[in-house]
Structure formats: structure tokens, C-alpha cells
């Protein structure tokens, strides 16, 4: 007995009124993206649910991936039989057996949209229910609150049975809430911030500042891997890699040591805002968590945030480091993040950066150089990668 | 040439060989080097790791590359025993394991571990009841091979893992060197699993130890902490690449190939059974599709091998690994065979490359060769 299709139930989506159709289309795209390894799979849309046609792909192979796609409330694998009561009974029994633990209660909920079928709803319930009960020990019926609710749907094309229900990732489908730029350093926090934004349907474009030779190609690869990891949640991600060496060197020359960190962050935010403008984004996302490091005190945030009036979203601002690490583990970015390569944030960090920088001071320090032009040029020279990156696969394809 | 010794080793796929050469030419950098060449090699290695993980149904971080099946078995057993010593000192395995498991166990006994070697029945299988009876408070690991290398017997892996679920302290190691690519093994309930590339048309010198997340081992090799510290030593990038490729090709061939292989095995079995004095030791059910172990009364295995070799047919006596030691097959003796039958046993082992025509040709050769041998020996 193999599963034929998967029933997808929408979450918050059903409350979205006129945007609903767009939401459903985006969800379909997310699902197909996360299951792209299985080209045989197709998706059928219907008004209050969606079906994934497995076309021979085992349910187990797609289950974990599906549970990561935002916009799905829950999903159930469905078995298909012919319109034959004996076949239906056998499939029902096997389904219940698969999901049974001693002491469970169950009920059969039949629906018959094909009225030509020989039995009516009650007769189906009875025929299947009694067959299952006869063949199983310590299973009892509870029609109000069953542990196993066996759904049986008789349609023209066949009969569909299911009794498993898996929770989805909830949230909103990718790309339904507009686009934002994510500052992605390579540390533990920023990918987690990206994950939370993805959960709310935000399309992410990641920005990474690369300072060769101070930061290595491996640090850059790590960021590519992190962004790639985030695409598992059903979203394509663009990654912009901005050359940052010249600006960082200039900052070191011009700004007093204890203010270099503040200036660096201001430049990063200002450049992210320029890229956002170019790319039609609506907000900037950072992985800042209040008080975690010198740049993440309220004073620092104010001094840094001063460069833009664009909303800067900080989904981790109230989270503890350990809570963030837990999420990073869960979403599979933690082990990539802890690889020990110097990144743009760590390499130029002064021994004692200002934890309470004064806005007026930093503005004055920066006023002696035309950072504006340098920033324009860096944004001009940035490199953009589309993830998931098919090119990487091609490069090694004939070797593997 | 008719090569029927695929359980000893397989002929590397051309594609695997060319991947090996190309990887050595273009990606020779040390994956740990900081520069571009090192990084490219590292990325290639990680792609291979990803591919192998997905082919065997594991997570990327659950793959430890080793030098082959023997190292994987040693790392699994000694590594698990030494790392979990504080939990107990008892290990269970069975009598028909590969020497790399048995001898590792002997060494562990010298270090003070207790080892139970479960007996097998006439088909070569252990009994779940006996396994359960052997489990004690002190038991920390159970090591059972999936497919026996001499007879093709499949052990009841699912039942074993079901049983061991009740013993969370006990690690379950499976030697899947012979089964991989031919008999499906679900790794979900298995903690450690050994693979060897050259058994599925990769190259000698590479293998994998699958290690479930969270399982602790004590590494055998100390050094630069490659393979997340579980196995130090500069990675054999090209060998690993060839292994990833060979495993992919093997898995692709498996879907159609197994049926054909079974057909050839079935044909050989029924034809061999017609020959006077032939006794087949590979069980009829619950056996791998690629191995047939049989003996012919009055014909010494070694003599038969050499006689067939003269006519271009390559088989083995018992396993290649133990044949050099000129010992009676311990596997067959454990299955209750008299020493004489065990001594005359030969192993025929197939790959997806073998054809029905080869099987027919082999039988012709065998039928022509046998009368001469029986005449002399009697």
C-alpha cells in the first residue's frame, strides 16, 4: 500500500481574503522548490486545500522537507484505492495498524461525493469500522474524540483514505509579505533572523560584506552555505556580496579606534539601504540582540540606525543567546555558523569598542572623508548570487 | 573472462575511475588548506558527502569517511566500546561476522571487555530470542552484519533494531559492506553502519562509517581532526569522489538490476542443483541476490577455483580475506556444516554487470571441468 498524494491544509492563509489566490500560488511555488529533487511530483490547487501528487515518490522522502515549508498548517498522506469495498477495508486496516498504539480509540469519517457508489456514508462507516475492529485488539470506537480519525472519501476517480496528520511549519508562504534585505555576517544570529522573516512570508535578499584579504574565501563560502541552507524553507534567496576592504581600511585610518566599530556598522547599514533601494526592498533585517555585544546596546543602535529612516527589523532583539542557538540548531545553520573563519565583523574589532557611542562624535569623525562615493562604488562592484545555486552543482556534476 | 568474485571486489566503474583521475588532477589541494585550491577540494568533498548521505538516507554530518570497511568496522566497535566504557563492558556480536569485526572484538576482550558471540542456525541467522537473552545491564553495543560475505544470508536487522529500541543504552552497529547497493537497509534504527567503496565498483581505500547524530565514539586515529575529529588524516578526496559516483551509479542500476540478478542467481541455483554432489549453502529465502555459496562432494574448493580459473572463470573459496589463511570457513562451520563440506565450498558472487549468458557459459565450463576433477580426486 503506497501513498498516492498528500493533502495540504492552509494555515493563516484562509483568512487572507482577496490576496488568497496569490498566497496559494506562492505556496505552490515554495512547495515545488523544496521538493525540486523529485521532478515527478505535481501540485493540484483547490479552494480550501492543496494536493501534492506523489507519482511514485515515497511519502517518507518528502515528509521532512514539507514540514519546513511556511504557509502549511498541517498535511496528511492519502492512500488511494479503487471503488471496491474489500480493497477499501484492507487499506483502512493497514492504515490504522500503521498508526496504532495500544489503547487508541478511532472512528471512521466517510464522505461520498460520488453518489453512484453502492454504499451510502453510514454503510461505509459501518463496513470499514467493523472490519478494522474485528481485526485489531484493544482498539475501541470513540466518535467524539478519537485518537485516529480515518477519513474515507469516495470520489469518481477513486477512494481516498487517510488518518495521519503532521504539523506544518505554519507562518506565511514565501514572498507574500514583500522583500527585505538581510545583513548576513556568517555568525549564529543573522541566519536565525532571516529564518524568522521567512516565516512571516518575507522575501529575503541577503547582503554580505567581504574584505579580502582580511577575510578569506572560506568565510564567503560559509555565508553562501548559510544562505543556501535558508532556501530549504521554500524560498529562493539572492545573496549580494559587497567588497568592503577599501572602506574598512579608510575607517581604520580616519576614525579613532574606539569608534571604528560604530562607523563600520553605519557604513554597512547605509550600503544595505542603497542596495535595498536598487532592489525595491521595504526593510532591512539584522540579527541584533539587545546588549549582546558593544554594537547592540541601545546607544549603539541609535548611533548606527541614524544613517537611514528605512525600517530596520530586529527579530532577535529580545532573545537570549541560548534561545538563538537553539533555533540555529533546529534550522541547521548552527554548525555552519560556528566554522572558525574571520568575518567582516570580527576582524577589525577594536579591543575596547565604545558601548555608548555618541552620534554627534561619530558623525564628525566620518565627515572628513567622502565615504558616500566609496560606498556607491562598492555597491556598484558587488557580486550577486542566486540561491539555491545550480552552478555549484554543475561545476562538480561530472565528478559525482 | 567471467568474473564471479564480486564479493571479494568489484571492477571499478570507468566513470568512477575517470572521476578519480580528474579529481586528482584538478582538485588535488588539501581540503584543509586555506587558499582557493584547498577550498575547492573541500567543497567538492562536501558535495560528495551530501550525495552519499542522500543516497543512504542519512544526514551530511552522519558520514565519516574511512579507508574502507575494515577501518569502519574497527572504528565502530573499538570507538564505541572505548567511548562508552563507563556505561558497561559487554558487547554482543555473532559467529559469522567478518574478521574485521571478530578480531576487533578479540582485541577488546584483551582490554577487559566481555564479548558474546551468538550462534547462528543452519541458514546462518541469529535468533532474536538468543540475542535478547544475551543482553545484560553491561551491554553497550550489538554488532550484526546485514548480509554475510560468504553465504549472502540476510540477518533480521529490522527485528534486531525493534528489540534494541527497548535498550536505549545499546548501540547497534551493522556491517553493510556486502549488502549496500543490493539489499536495502533502513538506517533509521541503526546507530553505526560500515560501507566499503570497492564492493560497489568504487576504488579500494575508501569507505564510510555512518554514525547517527549524537553517538559518541573514541577515534582510532588522532591528528588534525579531519572528519569532525572522528577520523584524522588528510582526506582521500579523489577516492571519496569515486565512491560517491560509484554509489550513485550502483543505486541507479539497482532498481532494474536486482530483478535480473535474482533471475541469474535463481538460474544458477537450479542448474547447480542438477549437478551430482552439489550442495548449496546460501539459503533460499532471506538471502542477498548476488551470492551463491556451494560445495561439490569430493572436490576441494581450492582445486575447483584453480581449474575454473584456467578456463577464465573467477570465483572464490569462502571469502577472499580468509582464503589466504587456508582455514576452514568458520561461517559454514558455524552454520553446522561438516568440515569436509566447508572445505570444498566455493562462493560465486555477481554484480549488475554480469549477464545470463555468462551464467550459461560458466555452467558449461563447470560441467566440462568437473568430471576431470572427480576422476583424479577419487
Amino acid at each position: 500500500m503506497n501513498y498516492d498524494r498528500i493533502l495540504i491544509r492552509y494555515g493563516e492563509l484562509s483568512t487572507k481574503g482577496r490576496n488568497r489566490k496569490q498566497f496559494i500560488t506562492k505556496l505552490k511555488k515554495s512547495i515545488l522548490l523544496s521538493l525540486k529533487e523529485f521532478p515527478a511530483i505535481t501540485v493540484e490547487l483547490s479552494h480550501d486545500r492543496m494536493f501534492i501528487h506523489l507519482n511514485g515518490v515515497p511519502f517518507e522522502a518528502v515528509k521532512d522537507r514539507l514540514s519546513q515549508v511556511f504557509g502549511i498548517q498541517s498535511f496528511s498522506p492519502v492512500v488511494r484505492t479503487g471503488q471496491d469495498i474489500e480493497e477499501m477495508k484492507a487499506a483502512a486496516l493497514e492504515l490504522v495498524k500503521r498508526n496504532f498504539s495500544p489503547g487508541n480509540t478511532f472512528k471512521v469519517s466517510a464522505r461520498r461525493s460520488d453518489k453512484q457508489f453502492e454504499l451510502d456514508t453510514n454503510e461505509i462507516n459501518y463496513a470499514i469500522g467493523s472490519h478494522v475492529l474485528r481485526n485489531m485488539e484493544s482498539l475501541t470506537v470513540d466518535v467524539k474524540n478519537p485518537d485516529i480519525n480515518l477519513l474515507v472519501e469516495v470520489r469518481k476517480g477513486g477512494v481516498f483514505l487517510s488518518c495521519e496528520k503532521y504539523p506544518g511549519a505554519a507562518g506565511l508562504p514565501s514572498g507574500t509579505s514583500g522583500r527585505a534585505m538581510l545583513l548576513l555576517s556568517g555568525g549564529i544570529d543573522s541566519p536565525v533572523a532571516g529564518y524568522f522573516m521567512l516565516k512571516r512570508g518575507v522575501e529575503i535578499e541577503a547582503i554580505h560584506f567581504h574584505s579580502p584579504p582580511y577575510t578569506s574565501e572560506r568565510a564567503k563560502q560559509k555565508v553562501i552555505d548559510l544562505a543556501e541552507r535558508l532556501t530549504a524553507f521554500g524560498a529562493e534567496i539572492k545573496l549580494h556580496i559587497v567588497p568592503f576592504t577599501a572602506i574598512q581600511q579608510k575607517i581604520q585610518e580616519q576614525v579613532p579606534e574606539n569608534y571604528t566599530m560604530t562607523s563600520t556598522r553605519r557604513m554597512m547599514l547605509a550600503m544595505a539601504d542603497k542596495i535595498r533601494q536598487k532592489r525595491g526592498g521595504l526593510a532591512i533585517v539584522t540579527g541584533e540582540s539587545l546588549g549582546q555585544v558593544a554594537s547592540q546596546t541601545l546607544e549603539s543602535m541609535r548611533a548606527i540606525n541614524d544613517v537611514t529612516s528605512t525600517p530596520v527589523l530586529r527579530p532577535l532583539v529580545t532573545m537570549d543567546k541560548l534561545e538563538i542557538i537553539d533555533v540555529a540548531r533546529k534550522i541547521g545553520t548552527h554548525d555552519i555558523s560556528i566554522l572558525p573563519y574571520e568575518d567582516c565583523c570580527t576582524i577589525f574589532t577594536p579591543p575596547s569598542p565604545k558601548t555608548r557611542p555618541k552620534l554627534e562624535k561619530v558623525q564628525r569623525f566620518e565627515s572628513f572623508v567622502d565615504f558616500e562615493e566609496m560606498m556607491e562604488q562598492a555597491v556598484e562592484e558587488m557580486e550577486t548570487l542566486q540561491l539555491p545555486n545550480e552552478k555549484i552543482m554543475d561545476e562538480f556534476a561530472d565528478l559525482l | 573472462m567471467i568474473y564471479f568474485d564480486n564479493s571479494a571486489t568489484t571492477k571499478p566503474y570507468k566513470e568512477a575511475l575517470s572521476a578519480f583521475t580528474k579529481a586528482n588532477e584538478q582538485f588535488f589541494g588539501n581540503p584543509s588548506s586555506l587558499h582557493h585550491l584547498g577550498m575547492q577540494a573541500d567543497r567538492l568533498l562536501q558535495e560528495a558527502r551530501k550525495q552519499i548521505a542522500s543516497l543512504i538516507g542519512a544526514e551530511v554530518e552522519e558520514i565519516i569517511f574511512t579507508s574502507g570497511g575494515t577501518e569502519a568496522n574497527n572504528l565502530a566497535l573499538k570507538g564505541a566500546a572505548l567511548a562508552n566504557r563507563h556505561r558497561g563492558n559487554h558487547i554482543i556480536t555473532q559467529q559469522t561476522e567478518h574478521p574485521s569485526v571478530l578480531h576487533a572484538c578479540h582485541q577488546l576482550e584483551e582490554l577487559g571487555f566481555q564479548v558474546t558471540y551468538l550462534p547462528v542456525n543452519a541458514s546462518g541467522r541469529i535468533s532474536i530470542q538468543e540475542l535478547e537473552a544475551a543482553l545484560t545491564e553491561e551491554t553497550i553495543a550489538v554488532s550484526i552484519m546485514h548480509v554475510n560475505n560468504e553465504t549472502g544470508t540476510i540477518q533480521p536487522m529490522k527485528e534486531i533494531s525493534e528489540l534494541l529500541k527497548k535498550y536505549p543504552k545499546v548501540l547497534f552497529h551493522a556491517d553493510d559492506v556486502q549488502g549496500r547497493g543490493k539489499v536495502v537497509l533502513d538506517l533509521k534504527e541503526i546507530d553505526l553502519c560500515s560501507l566499503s567503496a570497492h564492493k560497489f565498483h568504487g576504488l579500494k581505500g575508501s569507505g564510510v562509517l555512518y554514525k547517527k547524530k549524537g553517538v559518541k565514539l573514541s577515534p582510532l586515529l588522532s591528528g588534525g581532526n579531519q572528519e569532525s575529529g572522528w577520523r584524522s588524516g588528510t582526506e582521500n578526496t579523489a577516492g571519496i569522489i569515486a565512491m560517491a559516483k560509484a554509489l550513485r551509479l550502483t543505486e541507479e542500476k539497482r532498481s532494474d538490476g536486482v530483478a535480473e540478478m535474482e533471475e541469474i542467481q535463481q538460474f544458477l541455483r537450479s542448474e547447480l542443483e542438477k549437478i551430482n554432489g552439489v550442495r548449496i549453502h546460501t539459503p533460499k529465502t532471506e538471502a542477498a541476490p548476488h551470492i551463491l555459496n556451494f560445495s561439490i562432494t569430493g572436490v576441494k574448493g581450492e582445486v575447483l577455483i584453480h581449474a575454473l580459473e584456467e578456463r577464465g572463470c573467477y570465483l572464490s573459496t569462502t571469502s577472499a580475506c580468509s582464503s589466504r589463511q587456508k582455514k576452514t570457513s568458520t561461517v559454514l562451520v558455524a552454520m553446522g556444516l561438516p568440515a569436509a563440506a566447508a572445505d570444498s565450498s566455493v562462493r560465486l558472487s555477481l554484480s549488475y554487470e554480469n549477464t545470463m549468458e555468462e551464467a550459461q557459459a560458466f555452467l558449461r565450463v563447470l560441467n566440462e571441468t568437473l568430471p576431470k576433477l572427480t576422476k583424479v580426486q577419487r
Side-chain angles (χ1 to χ4, degrees):
Chain A
M1 187 184 66
N2 288 323
Y3 293 113
D4 172 74
R5 53 182 66 187
I6 303 169
L7 166 69
I8 305 283
R9 297 178 197 84
Y10 310 140
E12 252 174 80
L13 250 140
S14 20
T15 61
K16 295 292 172 189
R18 275 183 302 154
N19 291 330
R20 191 190 166 84
K21 197 171 161 209
Q22 183 218 344
F23 277 50
I24 293 171
T25 318
K26 298 257 189 192
L27 178 58
K28 177 182 171 180
K29 199 179 153 201
S30 292
I31 289 174
L32 286 175
L33 178 68
S34 71
L35 302 181
K36 70 174 163 21
E37 227 177 88
F38 311 101
I41 282 180
T42 54
V43 172
E44 176 195 336
L45 306 180
S46 87
H47 63 289
D48 58 345
R49 45 173 64 178
M50 191 182 282
F51 287 106
I52 298 177
H53 295 273
L54 287 165
N55 297 323
V57 175
F59 171 67
E60 288 301 322
V62 303
K63 187 180 137 196
D64 288 348
R65 281 161 215 256
L66 213 50
S67 63
Q68 297 190 331
V69 176
F70 294 121
I72 297 176
Q73 192 60 32
S74 65
F75 58 96
S76 301
V78 180
V79 170
R80 176 195 185 143
T81 71
Q83 281 198 3
D84 172 70
I85 188 68
E86 290 311 315
E87 217 185 307
M88 290 157 63
K89 280 182 191 168
L93 180 61
E94 202 183 323
L95 267 183
V96 174
K97 271 191 181 154
R98 253 190 227 183
N99 294 285
F100 173 76
S101 30
N104 275 175
T105 56
F106 100 120
K107 81 180 258 195
V108 182
S109 311
R111 270 218 314 225
R112 189 181 62 144
S113 59
D114 179 10
K115 306 290 180 202
Q116 306 291 323
F117 188 64
E118 50 183 339
L119 305 176
D120 71 16
T121 308
N122 281 332
E123 288 166 340
I124 300 172
N125 283 341
Y126 179 78
I128 291 182
S130 56
H131 178 76
V132 172
L133 280 176
R134 251 199 311 279
N135 288 286
M136 292 195 61
E137 273 172 42
S138 90
L139 180 72
T140 50
V141 172
D142 179 347
V143 290
K144 290 210 180 94
N145 238 329
D147 298 311
I148 301 171
N149 186 5
L150 178 66
L151 305 173
V152 180
E153 211 175 330
V154 181
R155 297 213 214 170
K156 274 256 179 310
V159 180
F160 300 93
L161 300 99
S162 91
C163 70
E164 286 157 72
K165 196 168 176 179
Y166 297 96
L172 298 172
S174 164
T176 52
S177 304
R179 178 181 297 166
M181 318 310 284
L182 168 71
L183 296 185
L184 195 59
S185 64
I188 291 173
D189 302 341
S190 46
V192 175
Y195 165 80
F196 282 129
M197 298 314 292
L198 288 171
K199 180 166 186 195
R200 293 312 296 170
V202 172
E203 180 194 342
I204 292 288
E205 292 198 4
I207 299 174
H208 177 68
F209 295 96
H210 186 41
S211 305
Y214 300 103
T215 62
S216 73
E217 211 184 323
R218 280 179 188 263
K220 176 173 148 189
Q221 185 59 43
K222 175 175 155 184
V223 171
I224 297 173
D225 292 345
L226 283 171
E228 180 111 27
R229 179 72 199 107
L230 287 176
T231 63
F233 301 98
E236 287 173 334
I237 292 179
K238 275 199 169 61
L239 171 62
H240 306 291
I241 296 167
V242 186
F244 199 46
T245 316
I247 296 174
Q248 277 198 303
Q249 283 170 332
K250 202 72 184 171
I251 293 171
Q252 298 300 310
E253 272 170 43
Q254 279 300 320
V255 177
E257 194 189 64
N258 56 356
Y259 267 90
T260 53
M261 184 272 299
T262 313
S263 265
T264 307
R265 299 303 154 101
R266 282 164 57 86
M267 303 295 160
M268 287 177 173
L269 193 60
M271 283 159 84
D273 202 33
K274 287 181 196 302
I275 301 167
R276 176 201 62 79
Q277 233 166 5
K278 268 175 105 166
R279 298 286 315 145
L282 301 168
I284 296 169
V285 180
T286 76
E288 287 163 300
S289 157
L290 190 58
Q292 199 186 95
V293 290
S295 66
Q296 299 177 14
T297 60
L298 282 179
E299 287 85 351
S300 275
M301 281 188 199
R302 176 171 172 265
I304 294 164
N305 212 145
D306 167 68
V307 300
T308 176
S309 60
T310 302
V312 176
L313 306 177
R314 300 175 174 91
L316 312 185
V317 75
T318 64
M319 284 175 79
D320 295 345
K321 190 73 187 180
L322 291 178
E323 292 176 296
I324 300 171
I325 288 173
D326 278 349
V327 182
R329 285 226 168 86
K330 197 184 83 185
I331 64 174
T333 56
H334 176 266
D335 290 0
I336 309 174
S337 289
I338 58 170
L339 293 172
Y341 310 121
E342 295 280 10
D343 66 35
C344 52
C345 298
T346 53
I347 196 127
F348 286 108
T349 309
S352 50
K354 270 268 182 237
T355 51
R356 300 199 155 86
K358 300 260 179 319
L359 177 58
E360 304 69 33
K361 277 194 177 177
V362 70
Q363 280 170 336
R364 204 173 65 81
F365 297 142
E366 289 168 9
S367 66
F368 304 104
V369 185
D370 188 1
F371 278 113
E372 189 57 30
E373 198 193 312
M374 295 181 85
M375 289 196 286
E376 288 291 347
Q377 196 192 339
V379 169
E380 214 41 59
E381 288 169 4
M382 79 185 181
E383 172 195 5
T384 297
L385 297 175
Q386 177 70 48
L387 302 172
N389 191 343
E390 310 293 342
K391 257 201 317 215
I392 295 180
M393 305 306 287
D394 289 351
E395 188 185 344
F396 299 136
D398 61 328
L399 281 164
L400 296 166
Chain B
M1 178 179 88
I2 297 176
Y3 186 73
F4 279 168
D5 197 13
N6 290 286
S7 287
T9 192
T10 54
K11 186 176 175 187
Y13 286 137
K14 279 208 174 60
E15 295 88 337
L17 263 181
S18 75
F20 179 83
T21 317
K22 199 172 158 195
N24 262 330
E25 277 167 2
Q26 296 180 8
F27 301 97
F28 62 87
N30 185 326
S32 300
S33 288
L34 276 179
H35 48 65
H36 182 77
L37 281 179
M39 205 184 92
Q40 286 295 90
D42 189 30
R43 280 178 56 214
L44 178 59
L45 192 67
Q46 299 323 326
E47 288 299 319
R49 194 186 302 277
K50 240 190 250 175
Q51 177 165 318
I52 290 173
S54 112
L55 286 169
I56 70 172
E59 305 279 327
V60 174
E61 59 268 40
E62 295 177 328
I63 305 291
I64 303 171
F65 291 125
T66 68
S67 64
T70 292
E71 188 193 328
N73 281 340
N74 272 270
L75 176 56
L77 278 153
K78 295 177 190 166
L82 296 176
N84 295 287
R85 203 167 199 168
H86 59 288
R87 297 189 169 156
N89 74 338
H90 180 228
I91 291 162
I92 301 174
T93 183
Q94 48 101 18
Q95 294 171 355
T96 68
E97 287 292 315
H98 188 265
S100 58
V101 167
L102 292 175
H103 295 174
C105 286
H106 297 159
Q107 275 189 301
L108 287 169
E109 283 177 305
E110 285 165 20
L111 292 175
F113 287 91
Q114 303 282 321
V115 182
T116 302
Y117 301 89
L118 293 173
V120 296
N121 65 14
S123 303
R125 263 184 291 280
I126 61 158
S127 127
I128 297 290
Q129 288 73 30
E130 280 174 341
L131 170 59
E132 184 158 21
L135 285 159
T136 69
E137 281 295 299
E138 286 290 315
T139 312
I140 48 174
V142 170
S143 178
I144 303 290
M145 76 200 308
H146 179 208
V147 169
N148 184 272
N149 55 317
E150 292 189 27
T151 61
T153 299
I154 300 175
Q155 294 287 1
M157 304 307 272
K158 189 133 188 68
E159 289 81 350
I160 298 171
S161 60
E162 282 298 318
L163 170 69
L164 293 182
K165 263 191 208 166
K166 291 188 273 178
Y167 301 84
K169 191 172 86 170
V170 179
L171 294 173
F172 182 20
H173 167 246
D175 171 354
D176 194 26
V177 166
Q178 283 297 336
R180 185 54 48 179
K182 286 131 193 154
V183 189
V184 178
L185 179 64
D186 186 356
L187 295 181
K188 274 221 177 68
E189 312 293 343
I190 291 173
D191 299 297
L192 296 156
C193 179
S194 310
L195 308 181
S196 170
H198 77 97
K199 306 288 190 193
F200 49 77
H201 307 272
L203 301 178
K204 290 147 197 83
S206 12
V208 168
L209 178 65
Y210 158 85
K211 183 186 77 66
K212 193 179 273 319
K213 263 190 257 178
V215 170
K216 292 270 177 299
L217 293 180
S218 170
L220 301 184
L221 301 182
S222 321
N225 281 340
Q226 288 87 349
E227 297 299 297
S228 305
W230 302 115
R231 200 274 185 188
S232 289
T234 300
E235 301 86 341
N236 171 11
T237 312
I240 291 164
I241 299 314
M243 169 162 65
K245 180 147 214 163
L247 185 58
R248 176 172 68 77
L249 294 173
T250 301
E251 286 297 320
E252 281 168 15
K253 285 175 201 230
R254 183 167 59 83
S255 48
D256 298 332
V258 164
E260 201 186 326
M261 192 181 257
E262 277 169 351
E263 203 182 318
I264 297 174
Q265 187 196 38
Q266 193 48 48
F267 170 74
L268 284 167
R269 179 188 280 272
S270 61
E271 291 299 308
L272 284 171
E273 275 169 348
K274 289 178 193 162
I275 299 173
N276 213 2
V278 165
R279 186 167 165 193
I280 296 180
H281 310 304
T282 297
K284 276 205 171 111
T285 55
E286 295 301 301
H290 63 298
I291 297 179
L292 263 184
N293 189 311
F294 61 95
S295 52
I296 304 174
T297 314
V299 181
K300 260 201 152 18
E302 203 181 318
V303 175
L304 181 58
I305 295 307
H306 291 310
L308 290 171
E309 182 190 350
E310 278 175 24
R311 305 279 309 271
C313 297
Y314 295 87
L315 280 73
S316 273
T317 55
T318 65
S319 69
C321 309
S322 33
S323 60
R324 242 183 271 164
Q325 300 163 13
K326 295 229 175 190
K327 274 196 223 144
T328 306
S329 160
T330 48
V331 174
L332 295 176
V333 171
M335 284 163 66
L337 251 69
D343 267 343
S344 56
S345 77
V346 293
R347 177 188 66 187
L348 184 161
S349 46
L350 304 167
S351 79
Y352 296 129
E353 307 300 298
N354 290 127
T355 62
M356 190 57 105
E357 288 68 43
E358 287 179 317
Q360 286 158 348
F362 162 74
L363 286 165
R364 272 196 304 278
V365 169
L366 181 67
N367 278 315
E368 285 162 21
T369 312
L370 272 182
K372 295 176 207 161
L373 295 182
T374 40
K375 205 155 59 184
V376 176
Q377 294 211 332
R378 274 175 199 162

